[in-house]
Amino acid sequence: MASLVDGFGRSFPYLRLSLTEACNFRCSYCLPDGYRANGRPTFLEQDEIRRLLRGFAGLGMRKVRLTGGEPSLRKDLPEIIAIAAGTPGVRKVALTTNGCLLLKKARQWREAGLTALNVSVDSLDAARFQAITGHDRFQDVIDGVELALGLGFDSVKLNAVLLRGLNDDALPQWLDYLRERDVSVRFIELMRTGDNKDYFERHHVRAETLRQQLLDAGWTLVPRAADAGPALEFRRPDYRGRIGIIAPYSKDFCSGCNRLRVTARGDLRLCLFGEFGIPLRPLLQSDDDHEALMGRIATQLGLKAAGHGLHQGNSGITPHLASIGG
Ligand code: SAM
Ligand code: SF4
């Protein structure tokens, strides 16, 4: 039977599905001028999503992450979560969100079957948060995180993109935050995309710097599980929280790759920084195409490259991560 294994022996039990390209924030590294619709895009609808997830699950996908753009802008997000949670074989349904609707909606998402939550919080300082995201929503987002921590999710993680001169001196503040909270913060090294070249040159910081600071502060690297994905995890026994580092420019990053992406328009993307997308949408119009869909996904996976070309300054066709589902 076909399965989600590529030519380098990597398996891909993890799918990131973008639900929309739209976003209400203007993160300076992603959509600094805000979202502008390109034509009148139509994003995958519930029936298409149901078929897509059945196809991937039939090949061994066990975890799906819903992302965007800002996935919570989809009014039917609870229904989509329920579709994902009800797909035979799927054990984990995660969401990546900017947190703008967490306070209002987190309980409903949990009840619909969401098992894990990642919230982007680039700074614990309200003024800096506003400077980076373009929105004065820090308190809402962080109150939403507190609420979510009490809802019984398997995991709640915070994502912070490391930015030189904007938030790269904030480790002490994060450590205070993590001392008593059962939450993991993931520091993500800024990635260069098609649109952010100058910004990247101004604000990129190597994650290695942070790794050394953590080791100096008594944090230890947790041995990686075989299916752990590309993040490095650090712990310290007297802290409830954990710290992860995602360093796409590090030597072994691609060898730990365990994820595929599908854009909000239904294109399979084998790599965040790949050169092409493979249209799956034509095979999402009828249940009768289930086998053909699985065949197309498995065949394309055989073409997945060993690694990205970021080191050569080649960020592929991705203008910004909102367009593909970061
Ligand atoms: N809107 C949601 C959010 O912000 O969480 C989901 C989509 S967003 C594209 C997913 C993640 O990608 C966020 O944590 C964001 O900070 C991160 N991201 C966006 N652009 C990035 C870049 N150029 N480099 C590194 N991370 C980036
Ligand atoms: Fe929107 Fe997320 Fe991009 Fe920020 S990182 S602009 S919240 S899609």
Side-chain angles (χ1 to χ4, degrees):
M1 196 191 88
S3 67
L4 293 171
V5 178
D6 73 0
F8 301 90
R10 295 173 297 192
S11 64
F12 296 85
Y14 180 9
L15 173 69
R16 295 171 85 107
L17 172 61
S18 175
L19 298 181
T20 176
E21 292 163 11
C23 187
N24 54 342
F25 276 24
R26 294 193 305 269
C27 298
S28 50
Y29 48 79
C30 181
L31 291 174
D33 302 321
Y35 168 68
R36 299 206 185 115
N38 179 4
R40 295 191 62 196
T42 60
F43 303 126
L44 292 180
E45 290 175 10
Q46 289 177 37
D47 272 343
E48 295 173 309
I49 292 173
R50 179 175 56 75
R51 295 186 186 114
L52 179 87
L53 296 181
R54 273 192 56 225
F56 274 92
L59 290 165
M61 183 269 287
R62 297 292 169 254
K63 171 174 174 181
V64 58
R65 175 173 299 283
L66 306 173
T67 180
E70 178 43 45
S72 67
L73 297 184
R74 287 248 338 213
K75 297 223 163 33
D76 59 353
L77 180 58
E79 288 80 5
I80 295 171
I81 292 171
I83 289 170
T87 303
V90 169
R91 301 200 194 102
K92 295 181 185 168
V93 183
L95 177 76
T96 301
T97 172
N98 64 22
C100 64
L101 289 175
L102 260 187
L103 260 185
K104 278 195 198 133
K105 303 280 183 159
R107 191 176 299 278
Q108 194 186 3
W109 299 337
R110 178 79 184 111
E111 284 166 4
L114 193 70
T115 62
L117 193 61
N118 281 40
V119 187
S120 298
V121 183
D122 289 326
S123 176
L124 290 172
D125 175 277
R128 284 181 170 196
F129 181 94
Q130 178 169 6
I132 296 170
T133 64
H135 283 265
D136 182 16
R137 297 290 299 274
F138 172 74
Q139 203 54 50
D140 268 5
V141 172
I142 213 73
D143 289 349
V145 170
E146 287 305 311
L147 170 78
L149 286 173
L151 293 179
F153 285 105
D154 293 347
S155 78
V156 176
K157 293 178 184 163
L158 308 185
N159 291 353
V161 180
L162 278 173
L163 301 166
R164 179 187 304 283
L166 299 177
N167 68 5
D168 60 335
D169 57 354
L171 187 59
Q173 207 180 4
W174 277 110
L175 294 185
D176 280 351
Y177 184 82
L178 293 174
R179 194 177 283 278
E180 301 296 343
R181 285 186 182 79
D182 183 13
V183 63
S184 171
V185 57
R186 301 302 188 87
F187 293 105
I188 308 174
E189 189 170 330
L190 177 65
M191 294 176 239
R192 183 172 153 179
T193 58
D195 282 358
N196 75 4
K197 182 171 175 293
D198 294 346
Y199 186 96
F200 179 85
E201 275 160 21
R202 277 199 308 281
H203 295 295
H204 176 247
V205 198
R206 286 193 45 126
E208 179 55 31
T209 319
L210 178 67
R211 174 187 159 109
Q212 200 49 53
Q213 285 170 9
L214 288 173
L215 295 174
D216 293 346
W219 290 72
T220 47
L221 185 59
V222 181
R224 286 157 83 107
D227 60 348
L232 298 176
E233 274 260 322
F234 293 82
R235 288 177 195 251
R236 221 184 100 156
D238 47 341
Y239 282 75
R240 279 190 78 198
R242 294 158 304 283
I243 297 179
I245 296 186
I246 301 185
Y249 293 89
S250 73
K251 181 165 67 58
D252 294 327
F253 185 75
C254 296
S255 60
C257 184
N258 63 355
R259 58 208 55 198
L260 297 172
R261 291 182 159 78
V262 172
T263 69
R265 301 175 196 225
D267 280 3
L268 172 63
R269 298 288 301 269
L270 299 171
C271 172
L272 192 46
F273 300 99
E275 296 291 342
F276 58 95
I278 299 119
L280 300 179
R281 205 167 193 177
L283 297 176
L284 300 177
Q285 306 312 310
S286 156
D287 290 340
D288 296 343
D289 287 329
H290 180 62
E291 297 294 329
L293 173 67
M294 292 203 301
R296 182 172 297 183
I297 298 166
T299 308
Q300 292 299 326
L301 195 52
L303 303 177
K304 185 168 160 64
H308 59 56
L310 283 176
H311 294 286
Q312 294 78 40
N314 181 359
S315 50
I317 58 172
T318 303
H320 42 69
L321 295 200
S323 70
I324 179 175

